[in-house]
Amino acid sequence: MANMLALAVLSALVERPMHPYEMATILRERGKDDDMEIKWGSLYTVVRNLAKHGLIEPAEVGRDGRRPERTVYRITTIGHDELVDWVRELIAMPGPEHPRFRAGLSVLSVLHPGNATALLRERLARLDDGVIAARAALEQYGREVPRLFLVESEYDLAIRVAEAAWVRSLLAEIDLGTYPGLDAWRAFHEENP
């Protein structure tokens, strides 16, 4: 399974049976769309597919007055086992991830080095601001929420800190003129404005 919304649904249903609307509400409240790519418009399709494959099942079907019928779902034993296996794989097995910054770096050569460094400095300033804000948020939430439920925020902070350090070192190489091929990069843009 690769659909992160399915992962989120299964993880929500571990707590208790829910209607899909309630699942979406809880997942949004917990910021799951910050943790994983979620396409909210496909929630009901994902729920139907999980039920079709026996990972979740109706716990109850009810109706309030003239409202449409509502199905409350619960996770099945098979679904719980699949969820645990899926999380094990996500935690243990590094896999390809495609961040937007990496895509931009892969075509950095289309920018003049001067423009590239200005944009990298802008990114670095935003990263530094983000690090400060993330540290403050972690400190605040850490007083109220068990660390287990903040571990993804700690990871995000570590990635931002590492990225900022890497951007600083790249900028230093360009500023000092020690970046390999810098003269050719600069010359190309001066010859092809």
Side-chain angles (χ1 to χ4, degrees):
M1 239 189 261
N3 186 318
M4 291 296 120
L5 182 52
L7 175 71
V9 166
L10 290 173
S11 71
L13 290 177
V14 165
E15 294 178 36
R16 69 179 187 288
M18 292 180 217
H19 178 270
Y21 182 81
E22 184 182 7
M23 294 174 208
T25 301
I26 286 173
L27 294 172
R28 281 188 177 111
E29 285 172 359
R30 294 180 182 166
K32 287 301 168 199
D33 45 355
D34 292 335
D35 299 334
M36 56 188 81
E37 188 174 331
I38 292 180
K39 293 181 173 77
W40 294 110
S42 62
L43 175 65
Y44 285 88
T45 301
V46 167
V47 167
R48 277 192 303 274
N49 285 334
L50 289 170
K52 177 180 160 187
H53 291 95
L55 303 174
I56 64 174
E57 63 188 8
E60 64 182 72
V61 177
R63 182 184 305 241
D64 277 340
R66 301 179 75 171
R67 293 182 140 167
E69 200 171 74
R70 291 173 40 125
T71 304
V72 173
Y73 292 90
R74 69 176 157 240
I75 193 167
T76 63
T77 302
I78 295 168
H80 188 270
D81 292 346
E82 178 67 25
L83 173 62
V84 170
D85 286 346
W86 195 356
V87 173
R88 284 180 176 153
E89 182 181 326
L90 287 171
I91 297 300
M93 304 297 293
E97 297 185 33
H98 305 284
R100 293 167 30 98
F101 182 49
R102 181 183 170 129
L105 289 172
S106 75
V107 292
L108 186 65
S109 63
V110 303
L111 299 174
H112 185 282
N115 187 258
T117 56
L119 294 168
L120 286 167
R121 287 184 208 298
E122 186 178 328
R123 181 179 193 89
L124 183 58
R126 288 183 172 141
L127 284 168
D128 288 342
D129 290 346
V131 165
I132 291 167
R135 282 187 174 136
L138 268 174
E139 185 179 320
Q140 176 189 346
Y141 294 136
R143 286 184 236 132
E144 305 161 10
V145 178
R147 184 173 178 208
L148 176 62
F149 300 109
L150 297 173
V151 72
E152 73 275 14
S153 297
E154 288 180 8
Y155 172 78
D156 288 342
L157 176 59
I159 295 300
R160 282 186 185 169
V161 168
E163 183 181 328
W166 184 84
V167 169
R168 273 190 186 79
S169 70
L170 177 61
L171 282 168
E173 282 185 80
I174 294 171
D175 290 344
L176 294 171
T178 60
Y179 187 81
L182 179 60
D183 291 337
W185 182 15
R186 189 174 284 121
F188 173 82
H189 281 283
E190 289 168 3
E191 293 167 10
N192 304 291

